[in-house]
Amino acid sequence: MQEGGRRLTLKLDRIEAFRHSPAMRWLLLINLVAVVLLSGAVAIVMEGTRLDGGPSSQNAPSGQLASLSPEADSAAGTSPEPEEPGGMDEAPAERTAHLPDTFVPIPAPRSAVDEAGSNSGEEDPRSPRVLKVATEGAYPPFNYQKTDGHPAGFDVDVARALCERLEAHCTFQVETWGDLRPALRDGTADLVVASMRIPETPRPGIVYSDPYYGLQGRFVGLSAGGWNFDGLVRQAGVRVAVQTGSAHAAYLAERYPDMALVLTQTPEEAFALVRSSTVEAAFADNTAALRWLKDEECCGTLGGAVRDEKYFGRGAGIALRAEDDALRQEINEALTAMIADGSLDALSRRYFGASIY
């Protein structure tokens, strides 16, 4: 210290103002000592300062340090900024969006980043599964559009029930029939629920769930006609109306060659012939027949549903992409549960007055 003082004295002697004024020398030395002591005190204080802003940051100039502690903000006489929607579940960038530009945020721990789902590249396990469901919206009562444009109908209700069992959030969209399968392939849709017949040989890249309703035939006749199914099929020359060119007409021609078939352009025309007593019975798709009978008091069913996969197929299924086989298995399990607990039957009766499975 003495050696340093001698050197400083020698340097000061070279300056004209200090060489002839001892008082000025001592004043300068005292100021230097004070500066050294003050610097040491500042270093001690800064070493103990918190990064989130403690009492020492209360008087910091605006824009230099933003407090992350509500307690510190209250002590400084300012109100803490309202928490952003989502709180700590937001991505880090969103959580710090309200901080001043000069503030450099500390990177979030890896666990916090993964929890927010921003940088992990993995889906947040807490987020619900989202499935996009496409339907046609032009085949009532299976699928149609309400006045507000939203799809509705039996297909849509089945899809909603499945989504609930899969604990998935489902969105619904209406596509033309020709665009339903392309929507699956390009990812616009994840499921197609539109009364699609399960084909014997599915198209490449597309698979189907188990049937959620059957494609069967049904005989209907006048309630007062005195006919039953056995008498109908055994009576030679009995007149049965059926849509021309349909699988139902082909079925009757092979299985009951003695019937006198009256061909019509539509199933509705065949039913009208029953109502007018022009024919003894009509044969048509089971769902179409039940739908018609629901509003008709004149007529009733003759026997049960007629099943024949050769002519009518396995039924209507839900279409998916081939790579989503795990999802297809989940849907099949959910359909099995809906059949077992009667919920699928309840939906059928709401629209058709009887089960169509």
Side-chain angles (χ1 to χ4, degrees), residues 40-60:
V42 171
I44 293 172
V45 172
M46 291 302 294
E47 184 177 2
T49 302
R50 299 188 316 180
L51 283 175
D52 61 353
S56 62
S57 67
Q58 293 175 9
N59 298 323

Side-chain angles (χ1 to χ4, degrees), residues 10 12 28 41 58 63 66 71 73 114 141 184 194 204 227 246 262 267 281 298 319 327 345 350 357:
L10 292 174
L12 291 175
L28 178 60
Q58 293 175 9
E71 293 83 358
D73 287 334
D114 287 346
L184 275 181
W227 290 98
S246 65
V262 179
C298 67
L327 176 59
D345 182 72
R350 180 190 306 173
Y357 179 70

Side-chain angles (χ1 to χ4, degrees), residues 191-202:
L191 306 173
V192 172
V193 189
S195 291
M196 279 191 168
R197 180 191 299 268
I198 301 173
E200 293 184 6
T201 305

Side-chain angles (χ1 to χ4, degrees), residues 3 50 52 68 109 173 221 234 254 324 327 354:
E3 181 64 26
R50 299 188 316 180
D52 61 353
L68 298 181
Q173 62 201 55
R234 292 176 182 175
E254 178 181 337
D324 293 336
L327 176 59

Side-chain angles (χ1 to χ4, degrees), residues 176-331:
T176 63
W177 181 262
D179 289 335
L180 288 172
R181 292 183 184 88
L184 275 181
R185 295 190 182 97
D186 64 21
T188 305
D190 300 309
L191 306 173
V192 172
V193 189
S195 291
M196 279 191 168
R197 180 191 299 268
I198 301 173
E200 293 184 6
T201 305
R203 300 187 184 188
I206 294 179
V207 294
Y208 291 81
S209 72
D210 291 341
Y212 61 96
Y213 73 86
L215 298 176
Q216 304 110 5
R218 175 76 73 170
F219 286 99
V220 298
L222 288 172
S223 300
W227 290 98
N228 58 37
F229 178 74
D230 290 335
L232 181 73
V233 297
R234 292 176 182 175
Q235 178 71 36
V238 66
R239 296 167 298 175
V240 177
V242 65
Q243 182 180 10
T244 184
S246 65
H248 301 86
Y251 172 84
L252 292 181
E254 178 181 337
R255 299 299 172 87
Y256 303 104
D258 293 334
M259 285 184 176
L261 302 185
V262 179
L263 301 178
T264 64
Q265 295 299 313
T266 65
E268 289 72 25
E269 291 180 8
F271 299 146
L273 294 179
V274 173
R275 188 193 299 113
S276 64
S277 299
T278 304
V279 296
E280 285 72 49
F283 186 64
D285 174 73
N286 180 48
T287 59
L290 292 176
R291 190 166 69 246
W292 180 71
L293 289 173
K294 190 177 180 181
D295 300 321
E296 291 289 340
E297 298 181 357
C298 67
C299 308
T301 61
L302 299 178
V306 179
R307 303 173 186 271
D308 193 315
E309 285 193 19
K310 175 183 176 182
Y311 286 98
F312 310 132
R314 289 184 56 204
I318 296 169
L320 308 87
R321 287 182 290 272
E323 60 264 30
D324 293 336
D325 191 64
L327 176 59
R328 183 182 67 86
Q329 293 180 28
E330 288 186 71
I331 290 174

